Amino acid sequence: MERKLWTKNFTLITVASALGAVGGIAGGFALSFLVFDETGSTLASALIFAIQLIPYFAIPLFAAPWMDRLPRKPFLVGGDMLNGVLYGLAGICLMQGAFSYAGYLGFSLLLSSLGAFDELAYNCFYPKLIPEGMEEKGYTVSAMLYPVMKVIMTPLSAVLFQRLGVAWLLILQAMLSFAAAAVENGIEIQEQRRMEGETFSFRLWKKDICEAAGYLKQERGLCNIYAYMAMTNGVAGGYASILVAFFRTAPGLNVTMYSLFSVAEFLGRSLGGAVQYRMKLPARKKFGFAFGVYQFYEIMDMCLLWIPFPLMLVNRACAGFLGINSGAMRQAAVQRYLPEHLRARVNAFENMCIMASGVFFSLVLGALGEVADYRFCMTSAAGMSLAVCWLTVWRGRSAVRAVYESEPEGGIE
């Protein structure tokens, strides 16, 4: 019997993700330029980004054991509902008064705390909604969704930012969060409680953390993958304030041209996603392909700000084409490799590593951008990521290869 990817549950989670992405892109775009315009400082912009990442490092450590023992759907639905309330209040407050940098710092911390719960629940819940054997196709859809929404919303957000202002974009984000929660509530799935007659306590939390730590200690392949992902994603997050400042200050560049980055990456990801969705790479070739993509991606970042704008767009299109293929392949392989009862805790460990790296590099690159050329900042950071890739993924290639080439039960892929 042929398996079908687009079941009711998979369709609902995809629609909900699309609604959330639309709101997040619109609000995030406006806020990123609002902060730089109000402060004129890359460090101030980087501090906003860094403080938003702190809860993603701390909260999963405490929430993941709980989430591995309880149904995850209520976390997802409740998180989007609260998200809508908070963004709605933020939009109303901005309509009533002037921008407050200190107030926005505190509000960002609150929102990101909620987002940390929501992301952890989503990453653990999503694999359960993909039919067995459809993992790579499912993660390809997931990886394409955000770029598709971004290419639609980023240019539109640039227009709305100029004409309507940040407050109304946040109100829009609130309404879309409520809609996403309503769609997620329609997902029908049986989830088990794993409390085993125990009440949640510090002793039980410690036991769960030790279990996950013991598992990771034996999994050298996962640890090397997570180390490189933390580095490359942390550095990519650090680029955010650098890119905004570069397009705001470099002669001949502007906000609209910055938004075209999304179009170029979308075109690359769309073509790459279509290839990934319809073609199957043999298991023995997955590691080599992924490692090659990692090298290419870091080199593209190293030269991005040194080339003319048309070549920048080509750069992002090529990176998007290869990036979606390696990303979907890695996500499918890792989630398939992880035991179900450990998924939240191990995913939390990965998120904590990525967020800690993001906080560090956003502050370092933001501070460096105050005194050094923006191009030098991005090139040196990408060069460091390239070196880490060799020291982790390549050096531990035998163990990493085992993760990439793992297959589900029955050998179905």
Side-chain angles (χ1 to χ4, degrees):
M1 180 178 175
E2 184 179 355
R3 288 181 172 84
K4 178 184 176 183
L5 174 63
W6 291 94
T7 60
K8 175 186 175 182
N9 284 345
F10 185 78
T11 301
L12 289 175
I13 194 66
T14 302
V15 171
S17 299
L19 291 171
V22 168
I25 292 164
F29 180 92
L31 289 172
S32 64
F33 281 97
L34 173 67
V35 172
F36 184 75
D37 287 347
E38 292 287 342
T39 64
S41 169
T42 57
L43 181 58
S45 298
L47 185 58
I48 290 286
F49 180 78
I51 202 170
Q52 288 175 335
L53 296 184
I54 291 174
Y56 287 88
F57 174 78
I59 287 178
L61 177 64
F62 299 99
W66 188 26
M67 204 169 286
D68 264 337
R69 292 180 176 272
L70 297 174
R72 291 142 184 179
K73 176 182 168 181
F75 288 99
L76 203 59
V77 176
D80 278 333
M81 289 293 292
L82 287 174
N83 200 55
V85 171
L86 291 175
Y87 274 109
L89 291 175
I92 293 172
C93 288
L94 279 179
M95 289 179 180
Q96 301 300 317
F99 173 80
S100 168
Y101 181 76
Y104 183 60
L105 277 176
F107 186 69
S108 295
L109 187 62
L110 177 62
L111 282 175
S112 57
S113 297
L114 176 61
F117 281 105
D118 188 65
E119 182 175 302
L120 184 61
Y122 177 85
N123 288 338
C124 299
F125 191 55
Y126 188 75
K128 296 175 70 66
L129 306 181
I130 304 175
E132 185 180 350
M134 297 284 106
E135 292 90 355
E136 288 193 16
K137 286 189 175 183
Y139 279 104
T140 298
V141 172
S142 176
M144 288 181 65
L145 189 62
Y146 186 81
V148 169
M149 294 299 102
K150 192 170 184 180
V151 76
I152 296 171
M153 288 305 303
T154 302
L156 180 59
S157 297
V159 175
L160 294 176
F161 174 60
Q162 299 290 342
R163 297 191 176 185
L164 301 180
V166 178
W168 279 108
L169 287 180
L170 295 183
I171 297 294
L172 171 64
Q173 186 168 356
M175 292 188 293
L176 290 171
S177 292
F178 289 134
V183 173
E184 289 162 350
N185 196 50
I187 294 173
E188 297 177 357
I189 190 170
Q190 293 293 327
E191 295 188 276
Q192 295 181 342
R193 294 172 59 92
R194 292 181 49 252
M195 296 306 294
E196 299 168 356
E198 301 178 271
T199 56
F200 204 83
S201 63
F202 176 76
R203 182 190 61 80
L204 187 58
W205 174 86
K206 183 178 179 181
K207 174 186 172 183
D208 287 347
I209 291 295
C210 290
E211 181 186 12
Y215 171 78
L216 280 170
K217 188 176 181 180
Q218 303 173 38
E219 294 294 338
R220 185 165 171 252
L222 285 176
C223 289
N224 279 310
I225 292 172
Y226 291 163
Y228 173 63
M229 286 299 115
M231 179 67 186
T232 190
N233 283 283
V235 165
Y239 295 156
S241 60
I242 296 298
L243 287 173
V244 167
F246 184 76
F247 274 83
R248 268 302 200 196
T249 58
L253 299 179
N254 54 49
V255 175
T256 302
M257 295 172 74
Y258 175 79
S259 71
L260 291 178
F261 264 35
S262 301
V263 178
E265 190 165 355
F266 162 75
L267 294 175
R269 281 181 172 265
S270 296
L271 182 58
V275 172
Q276 172 76 5
Y277 192 85
R278 296 183 177 275
M279 297 183 65
K280 178 181 176 182
L281 190 68
R284 67 181 185 279
K285 295 183 178 180
K286 289 182 178 180
F287 170 78
F289 174 78
F291 182 71
V293 171
Y294 297 156
Q295 307 304 294
F296 178 84
Y297 218 101
E298 304 301 351
I299 292 171
M300 289 296 98
D301 282 351
M302 289 174 69
C303 66
L304 179 63
L305 300 186
W306 299 92
I307 56 180
F309 181 72
L311 292 182
M312 288 185 184
L313 299 181
V314 174
N315 179 306
R316 292 299 88 186
C318 292
F321 176 86
L322 293 173
I324 191 173
N325 282 275
S326 67
M329 185 187 304
R330 175 182 57 82
Q331 281 278 63
V334 169
Q335 297 305 319
R336 184 169 57 221
Y337 189 83
L338 290 175
E340 164 64 20
H341 70 284
L342 289 170
R343 185 171 285 145
R345 282 165 283 172
V346 178
N347 283 338
F349 172 78
E350 180 188 19
N351 289 342
M352 288 167 62
C353 291
I354 290 174
M355 295 309 164
S357 177
V359 170
F360 176 77
F361 282 106
S362 63
L363 292 176
V364 168
L365 290 177
L368 189 60
E370 297 287 312
V371 297
D373 185 89
Y374 298 139
R375 295 172 297 179
F376 170 78
C377 296
M378 188 163 182
T379 299
S380 58
M384 290 176 60
S385 290
L386 184 62
V388 169
C389 184
W390 280 87
L391 292 172
T392 55
V393 177
W394 180 253
R395 188 179 180 185
R397 57 191 176 278
S398 59
V400 174
R401 187 187 299 274
V403 176
Y404 272 97
E405 297 178 1
S406 64
E407 293 187 358
E409 295 181 4
I412 298 170
E413 197 168 294

